[in-house]
C-alpha cells in the first residue's frame, strides 16, 4: 500500500519525468524521435512481406486483409515489449537517482511505461487511419480501446516492478527477459489467427488463452475488427485481471523487500 500511495502522490513528477525520458531517448541521433516510429513500421512491413507474399500463409478475418489483421494485433505487443524492457533496466539507467535518499525510486518503472505509452497512442491513431483508408471503418466498439490500453499498461507495470527489482542483483536477468519476450510474442495470436489455427483443437486453444496477453491482443482486434464488447468476454476478463493483480502484488512485495539494498549493489 505504501508503494501505491507513493505513486499516486508523485503523479506529476511521473508525468514530467516520462516526457523528459521520451525526449532524451533519441536526443543524440540525427532524426531524433522519428526512430521511435520507423522501427515498428519497418517490422510490420517485413512480417507482411514474409507471411503474405513469401509463405503465402497470411490469415485474414472476415474479408479483412492481412495487413489490418496484423497491425491491429501487433501494436499492443510493441508497447508491452518496449515498456517491459525499458522498465526492467530502469534502476540501472537511473542509478544516480536510486542512490539519492530522498528520491522515490518506486516511480521509475512507471516513468518508463508511461514514456512508452506516447508512441503507442500514435500507433493506435495511425492504425485507425489505415483501416479507414482500406475502407474498413472500425465498429463502435472501438471506443473501448481506452480500456484495452489500460489493460496493457497495468499488465506491463505489474511485471515491471518484479523484473526491475531483480536486475540490480542479477544483471543477466535483463537478457533473459529479452529472450522470454521473443518466445512470448510467438505464443500470442499476432502473426497467426487463433480460431483458424486452433479452431479444431479446443483444449490447445484454452491452453493458449492462459497466456494473459492474448486477452489484450484479441481485445484490440475486438475494437478494430470483431466489434465485441469486453464484458461479453466476462470470464476471460476476470481471469486477466486476477493474473494482473496477482503479478502486481508479487511485484510490489519483491520490490519492497529488495529496494533497501539497491544503493548497495548499484
Amino acid at each position: 500500500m505504501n508503494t501505491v500511495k507513493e505513486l499516486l502522490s508523485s503523479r506529476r513528477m511521473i508525468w514530467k519525468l516520462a516526457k523528459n525520458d521520451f525526449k532524451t531517448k533519441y536526443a543524440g541521433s540525427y532524426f531524433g524521435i522519428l526512430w521511435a516510429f520507423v522501427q515498428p513500421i519497418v517490422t510490420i512491413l517485413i512480417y507482411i512481406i514474409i507471411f503474405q507474399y513469401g509463405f503465402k500463409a497470411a490469415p485474414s478475418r472476415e474479408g479483412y486483409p492481412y495487413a489490418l489483421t496484423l497491425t491491429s494485433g501487433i501494436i499492443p505487443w510493441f508497447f508491452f515489449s518496449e515498456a517491459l524492457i525499458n522498465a526492467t533496466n530502469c534502476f540501472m539507467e537511473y542509478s544516480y537517482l536510486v542512490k539519492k535518499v530522498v528520491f522515490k525510486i518506486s516511480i521509475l518503472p512507471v516513468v518508463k511505461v508511461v514514456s512508452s505509452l506516447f508512441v503507442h497512442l500514435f500507433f493506435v491513431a495511425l492504425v485507425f487511419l489505415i483501416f479507414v483508408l482500406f475502407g474498413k471503418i472500425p465498429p463502435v466498439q472501438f471506443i473501448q480501446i481506452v480500456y484495452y490500453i489500460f489493460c496493457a499498461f497495468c499488465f506491463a507495470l505489474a511485471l515491471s516492478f518484479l523484473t526491475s527489482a531483480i536486475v540490480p542483483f542479477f544483471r543477466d536477468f535483463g537478457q533473459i527477459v529479452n529472450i522470454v519476450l521473443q518466445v512470448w510474442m510467438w505464443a500470442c495470436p499476432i502473426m497467426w489467427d487463433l480460431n483458424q489455427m486452433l479452431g479444431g483443437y479446443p483444449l490447445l486453444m484454452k491452453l493458449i488463452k492462459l497466456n494473459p496477453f492474448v486477452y489484450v491482443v484479441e481485445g484490440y482486434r475486438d475494437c478494430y475488427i470483431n466489434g465485441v464488447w469486453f464484458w461479453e468476454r466476462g470470464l476471460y476478463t476476470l481471469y486477466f485481471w486476477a493474473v494482473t493483480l496477482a503479478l502486481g502484488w508479487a511485484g510490489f512485495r519483491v520490490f519492497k523487500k529488495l529496494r533497501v539494498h539497491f544503493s548497495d549493489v548499484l
Side-chain angles (χ1 to χ4, degrees), residues 27-47:
S29 59
Y30 185 77
F31 292 102
I33 295 175
L34 184 63
W35 289 116
F37 308 104
V38 170
Q39 184 175 351
I41 291 174
V42 171
T43 301
I44 290 172
L45 291 175
I46 290 173
Y47 286 141

Side-chain angles (χ1 to χ4, degrees), residues 91-103:
F91 296 130
M92 305 294 295
E93 182 179 347
Y94 290 104
S95 59
Y96 61 95
L97 292 178
V98 175
K99 295 176 182 179
K100 290 186 177 181
V101 178
V102 296
F103 188 79

